[in-house]
Amino acid sequence: MAQEQTALTTAAAKNLATTTKTPPQMQGISSRWLLKMLPWVQVSGGTYRVNRRLTYTTGQGRLSFVQAGADVRIVPPTLAELPVLRGFEDQALLAELAGRFTRRDFEQGEVLVERGAPVDQVLVVAHGKIRKLGEGKFGDHQAVLGTLANGDHFGDETLTEDGLTWNYTARAATSGSLLVLPRGAFSDLVARSEQLRAQVDSYQAATDQDQDSHGQAEIALAAGHDGEPELPGSFADYELTPREYELSVAQTILQVHTRVADLYNKPMDQTEQQLKLTIEALRERQEHELVNNPEFGLLANADHQQRISTHSGPPTPDDLDELLSRRRGSRLFLAHPRAIAAFARECNKRGLYPESVDVEGHRIPSWRGVPIFPCGKIPVNGGHTSSILVLRTGEDNQGVVGLHQTGLPDEYEPGLSVRFMGINEKAVIQYLVSTYYSAAVLVPDALGVLENVEVAHPRD
């Protein structure tokens, strides 16, 4: 027999009680350290021009591939990443050249080129990892000079120079495949095409110019002399077509029904809460674009010479040391949380315990005093590999800078505006929410990337 109710239930009591409530919560809000740590430059004209000294070295990007079953082919336009073909636009000829590459599979430990042998072919890594090995100073050991991975190429200097020999040995660190172009196949096309021959001549003329170690037009100097010798005359030449960055935009239309705005605005302003969540989503997208956008994103704009691969797979202290050694004044690392965890595992194996640094009241892990900030916007490819970025920041340091414009009409936050668009026939209030942004790398060594970082936890 059910007991008779003798007091008011809590369910009924809630009808008369005032609940204690939170503002609307949202998943997906991250720390957004990149937005916080980048110095932001005001771009009043909407375009930011980066003037540099004239540089003769070009190309050296990565090639791309298409795969159909076991057949792997080079995407013809990406052949323009070979220095001699930089800027070459004859797509039919590039397609013919791409068709002359042949596939060569290799096994782990296989020697692909031998030091001292003639350079007579261009090799492109379609899949796998290859180490460049040279003799130590006293010939008692082999030193690792570098690592080549997917899309990297070597031997392309044979396309314009005769009598070259390999000054290192290339050995496969993993199994994989190469695409190989014999020198003769390229020479045949040069003999047939006046346009390609003119391209080669133009490239050779540029490389014959006096250059410094960074490929810039050399400034002639005299030092260590005495007496009254005739001093060289010189000047610092500039690029005639410097890169310009236009501000990108992320926008959305926030819609709030007038009935909601009129009747349900206490104790919390509904429009304000809707706007708050919308801005959080826009800022998340802004950081994603700064990392991944193909035009101005950091991953796409890292110079080829500033990209290195891990030596063994997971990120080790040695890898981060090499990344730091390639630039001065590194301000921060940026890594996916799984990459940070993988680095911590490698430190634990070696009995190393990196110090943390205080950043705005947060304890951030660091290496060599450079904080390692988490960024979930850096992709994890196939759930296995990611990248770690290192940045020098600021205009004064010739580093990486964020670009925005403040003082916008109806500005709600710096660089973000909320503009009233009116009320439609369905009594819905509409607001246009916009934020404008971009990023610029002032000189190539301001940004470095450690690639092919294995983040998967190894099996015991």
Side-chain angles (χ1 to χ4, degrees):
M1 180 178 178
Q3 292 185 347
E4 183 179 355
Q5 180 179 331
T6 60
L8 185 68
T9 65
T10 55
K14 286 181 180 179
N15 292 328
L16 299 181
T18 299
T19 60
T20 301
K21 58 183 71 65
T22 71
Q25 305 298 298
M26 174 180 173
Q27 295 188 69
I29 298 177
S30 66
S31 52
R32 298 199 293 268
W33 280 111
L34 178 59
L35 299 188
K36 296 175 184 176
M37 299 306 295
L38 272 184
W40 290 90
V41 175
Q42 168 73 357
V43 183
S44 300
T47 301
Y48 185 76
R49 177 180 296 161
V50 178
N51 289 309
R52 293 178 178 172
R53 281 177 57 187
L54 178 63
T55 302
Y56 293 118
T57 54
T58 55
Q60 293 296 345
R62 281 193 167 88
L63 279 65
S64 300
F65 311 93
V66 291
Q67 185 168 357
D71 184 29
V72 180
R73 291 171 293 167
I74 292 175
V75 177
T78 66
L79 283 172
E81 294 299 339
L82 296 175
V84 67
L85 295 176
R86 186 69 168 180
F88 190 67
E89 298 179 351
D90 188 331
Q91 298 303 314
L93 202 60
L94 290 177
E96 184 176 352
L97 183 60
R100 297 196 173 200
F101 281 80
T102 58
R103 176 173 171 170
R104 172 185 170 187
D105 294 329
F106 57 85
E107 299 297 330
Q108 183 177 3
E110 182 179 343
V111 174
L112 304 174
V113 300
E114 191 76 44
R115 184 172 181 267
V119 182
D120 57 2
Q121 56 188 356
V122 181
L123 300 100
V124 182
V125 185
H127 176 67
K129 187 180 290 188
I130 298 169
R131 290 199 176 99
K132 297 162 64 175
L133 306 173
E135 286 189 2
K137 181 176 180 180
F138 301 104
D140 57 346
H141 67 281
Q142 282 192 324
V144 178
L145 306 178
T147 304
L148 303 168
N150 300 3
D152 287 330
H153 49 85
F154 56 111
D156 53 83
E157 57 271 20
T158 190
L159 300 181
T160 55
E161 298 182 51
D162 297 322
L164 297 176
T165 58
W166 294 106
N167 57 8
Y168 57 83
T169 296
R171 177 174 292 154
T174 67
S175 60
S177 58
L178 293 167
L179 291 175
V180 181
L181 175 70
R183 175 188 171 129
F186 182 77
S187 300
D188 176 57
L189 283 181
V190 172
R192 287 172 38 203
S193 170
E194 292 186 8
Q195 187 178 0
L196 183 56
R197 186 161 55 251
Q199 173 75 17
V200 173
D201 292 343
S202 175
Y203 171 77
Q204 290 178 321
T207 54
D208 287 341
Q209 302 293 326
D210 292 333
Q211 305 174 21
D212 64 14
S213 59
H214 301 287
Q216 300 173 126
E218 188 173 27
I219 298 177
L221 304 170
H225 53 275
D226 54 19
E228 298 180 353
E230 184 175 344
L231 299 180
S234 188
F235 64 96
D237 205 356
Y238 302 141
E239 289 184 349
L240 296 180
T241 56
R243 179 168 181 182
E244 294 184 344
Y245 295 82
E246 294 185 357
L247 292 182
S248 184
V249 62
Q251 292 179 307
T252 188
I253 297 175
L254 172 62
Q255 300 187 134
V256 182
H257 201 286
T258 52
R259 182 172 62 251
V260 172
D262 292 342
L263 302 180
Y264 300 95
N265 253 3
K266 293 183 180 180
M268 296 179 186
D269 188 312
Q270 294 282 356
T271 302
E272 181 182 342
Q273 296 301 324
Q274 288 282 301
L275 185 57
K276 175 183 175 182
L277 299 178
T278 301
I279 290 174
E280 292 285 358
L282 278 176
R283 292 302 191 196
E284 291 291 330
R285 183 54 184 247
Q286 178 182 354
E287 187 175 63
H288 179 275
E289 292 292 303
L290 289 176
V291 173
N292 297 289
N293 187 282
E295 295 297 325
F296 58 83
L298 299 182
L299 286 175
N301 281 272
D303 187 82
H304 179 79
Q305 301 298 330
Q306 300 300 325
R307 298 174 183 267
I308 61 175
S309 286
T310 57
H311 286 85
S312 59
T316 66
D318 293 341
D319 292 324
L320 265 60
D321 281 342
E322 185 173 354
L323 203 57
L324 288 175
S325 71
R326 290 172 174 252
R327 64 201 36 79
R328 59 179 172 83
S330 296
R331 177 75 187 280
L332 61 102
F333 289 104
L334 207 62
H336 192 280
R338 291 182 62 187
I340 296 176
F343 176 67
R345 288 195 295 269
E346 294 303 308
C347 288
N348 292 339
K349 290 179 183 178
R350 293 161 173 78
L352 300 175
Y353 303 96
E355 295 182 354
S356 297
V357 296
D358 184 85
V359 180
E360 299 181 359
H362 299 270
R363 299 301 297 177
I364 304 297
S366 69
W367 181 249
R368 307 293 189 193
V370 180
I372 308 173
F373 291 103
C375 179
K377 313 301 189 305
I378 299 175
V380 176
N381 303 310
H384 300 288
T385 60
S386 186
S387 300
I388 296 177
L389 289 76
V390 64
L391 290 76
R392 181 177 68 245
T393 59
E395 278 189 314
D396 292 341
N397 291 325
Q398 296 183 321
V400 180
V401 295
L403 309 176
H404 69 171
Q405 185 178 133
T406 58
L408 299 170
D410 301 312
E411 190 168 60
Y412 188 84
E413 292 180 357
L416 185 145
S417 67
V418 180
R419 310 186 76 169
F420 176 67
M421 296 177 63
I423 303 174
N424 65 19
E425 64 278 4
K426 296 182 180 179
V428 174
I429 308 171
Q430 295 181 320
Y431 299 91
L432 176 64
V433 188
S434 308
T435 182
Y436 301 91
Y437 55 87
S438 188
V441 182
L442 300 190
V443 295
D445 74 350
L447 172 64
V449 181
L450 178 65
E451 300 182 310
N452 302 309
V453 175
E454 291 186 6
V455 299
H457 201 294
R459 293 182 61 185
D460 296 331

